[in-house]
């Protein structure tokens, strides 16, 4: 069975936060957490100014199909102490990050800077290895090439997929605020790919963000959420926009951008349930998440190949902790 190695919502990462939960994560983080009241009998410990944190996320997706695990470990330094909800969640952190899937392996270093609860800036640089299975990697001489699910399967049957390596630079921001039980946030991200492609090819299909990516160029995506926080439960609506930023050099002589690859737009509901949230625990904030979005714009998923009635669906389990 053909399996698309995927990143949930452009790379799920782990728990979001700031004013939504005790900690934020802009770099690849897409799933909300809620602040759950601490049990009265729960053990407590003082979290030192300099401490370590880890995060784990496991996710599956359909339309396109994907399965992956996302890991990070970070040395974090709290910048200052404050009791204010707007200021208390602040830090700078650095540490290894990793992404594991049946078709793609990534690993590298990430850094996060959160000066106050409503804003986080982050960056990561990772080496990538495509294993040459599940019809990947497929590259093309032009963004105008057919990279539909059907065509990728045909090319995989012909054996044109190949193993290769490269690097990924990710830049991200997270801006969020909360008023009563309602939270709003936006999470823009930029991805810069440098892959060793087959001679003559300028672009490749990138299944994590579901676009034909310009090699040596950028892909942009943003998730905007409106959330209602109800204790352990979070309900919300997500709007996502994703697109490749194509340059003249991404096209062969005689070709140009003909509008075949419109910006991808999708929108739909999301729900998450956090079993407990006690920040000083080794195993904390285990959360189940379900997101379903319908495509408003896509080259293949609004009726050309896949019915527009078929949603993009993702389910995930994630947790974090302080060792």
């Amino acid at each position: 069975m053909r399996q698309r190695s995927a990143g949930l919502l452009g790379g799920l990462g782990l728990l979001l936060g700031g004013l939504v939960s005790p900690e934020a994560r802009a770099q690849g983080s897409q799933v909300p957490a809620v602040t759950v009241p601490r049990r009265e009998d729960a053990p407590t410990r003082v979290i030192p100014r300099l401490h370590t944190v880890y995060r784990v996320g496991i996710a599956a997706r359909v339309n396109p199909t994907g399965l992956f695990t996302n890991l990070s470990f970070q040395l974090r330094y709290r910048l200052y102490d404050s009791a204010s909800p707007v200021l208390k969640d602040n830090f700078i952190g650095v540490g290894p990050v990793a992404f594991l899937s049946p078709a793609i392996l990534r690993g590298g270093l990430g850094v996060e800077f959160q000066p106050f609860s409503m804003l986080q800036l982050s960056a990561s640089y990772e080496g990538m290895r495509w294993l040459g299975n599940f019809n990947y990697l497929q590259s093309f001489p032009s963004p105008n090439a057919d990279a539909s699910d059907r065509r990728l399967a045909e090319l995989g049957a012909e054996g044109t997929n190949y193993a290769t390596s490269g690097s990924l630079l990710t830049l991200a921001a997270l801006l969020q605020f909360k008023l009563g039980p309602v939270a709003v946030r936006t999470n823009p991200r930029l991805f810069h790919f440098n892959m060793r492609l087959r001679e003559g090819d300028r672009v490749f299909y990138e299944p994590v963000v579901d676009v034909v990516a310009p090699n040596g160029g950028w892909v942009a995506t943003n998730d905007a959420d409106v959330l209602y926080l109800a204790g352990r439960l979070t309900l919300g609506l997500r709007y996502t926009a994703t697109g490749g930023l194509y340059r003249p050099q991404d096209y062969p002589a005689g070709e140009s951008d003909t509008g075949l690859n419109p910006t991808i737009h999708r929108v739909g509901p999301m729900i998450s349930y956090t079993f407990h949230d006690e920040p000083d625990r080794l195993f904390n904030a285990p959360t189940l998440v379900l997101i379903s979005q319908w495509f408003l714009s896509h080259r293949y998923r609004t009726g050309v190949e896949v019915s527009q009635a078929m949603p993009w669906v993702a389910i995930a389990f994630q947790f974090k902790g302080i060792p």
Side-chain angles (χ1 to χ4, degrees), residues 21-65:
S21 70
E23 89 181 44
R25 175 163 171 80
Q27 183 177 296
S29 65
Q30 301 305 307
V31 179
V34 297
T35 299
V36 178
R38 188 181 185 93
R39 300 196 318 269
E40 292 184 2
D41 61 344
T44 62
R45 59 176 169 143
V46 175
I47 301 175
R49 184 175 293 271
L50 182 66
H51 58 280
T52 57
V53 297
Y54 77 89
R55 290 172 292 219
V56 178
I58 304 167
R61 180 187 71 179
V62 296
N63 195 28
T65 306

Side-chain angles (χ1 to χ4, degrees), residues 152-170:
L152 291 172
E154 292 173 352
L155 292 172
E158 296 169 7
T160 63
N161 53 303
Y162 57 100
T164 189
S165 58
S167 63
L168 168 63
L169 171 66
T170 303

Side-chain angles (χ1 to χ4, degrees), residues 254-274:
E255 283 195 33
S256 61
D257 187 353
T258 59
L260 286 174
N261 294 289
T263 300
I264 299 170
H265 298 278
R266 62 179 192 262
V267 65
M270 59 192 300
I271 181 172
S272 73
Y273 184 83
T274 300

Side-chain angles (χ1 to χ4, degrees), residues 198-263:
R198 185 170 46 212
E199 185 176 356
D201 287 348
R202 300 170 174 84
V203 300
F204 66 99
Y205 177 72
E206 211 296 319
V208 174
V209 285
D210 190 28
V211 300
V212 173
N215 197 36
W218 295 90
V219 172
T221 187
N222 183 62
D223 294 307
D225 302 322
V226 178
L227 306 169
Y228 180 79
L229 311 180
R232 301 172 186 268
L233 187 69
T234 295
L235 304 173
L237 183 70
R238 164 161 294 180
Y239 165 71
T240 301
T242 305
L245 306 181
Y246 302 116
R247 308 157 296 174
Q249 59 265 39
D250 296 323
Y251 296 88
E255 283 195 33
S256 61
D257 187 353
T258 59
L260 286 174
N261 294 289
T263 300

Side-chain angles (χ1 to χ4, degrees), residues 108-154:
L109 190 68
V111 60
E112 299 175 6
F113 172 60
Q114 183 165 306
F116 52 92
S117 302
M118 293 185 294
L119 176 67
Q120 186 186 122
L121 304 174
S122 64
S124 66
Y125 185 79
E126 300 170 85
M128 301 181 67
R129 180 64 184 175
W130 295 67
L131 303 179
N133 54 7
F134 300 104
N135 299 332
Y136 302 121
L137 180 131
Q138 297 286 0
S139 59
F140 308 93
S142 168
N144 295 327
D146 184 356
S148 64
D149 291 353
R150 173 193 51 79
R151 183 57 180 157
L152 291 172
E154 292 173 352

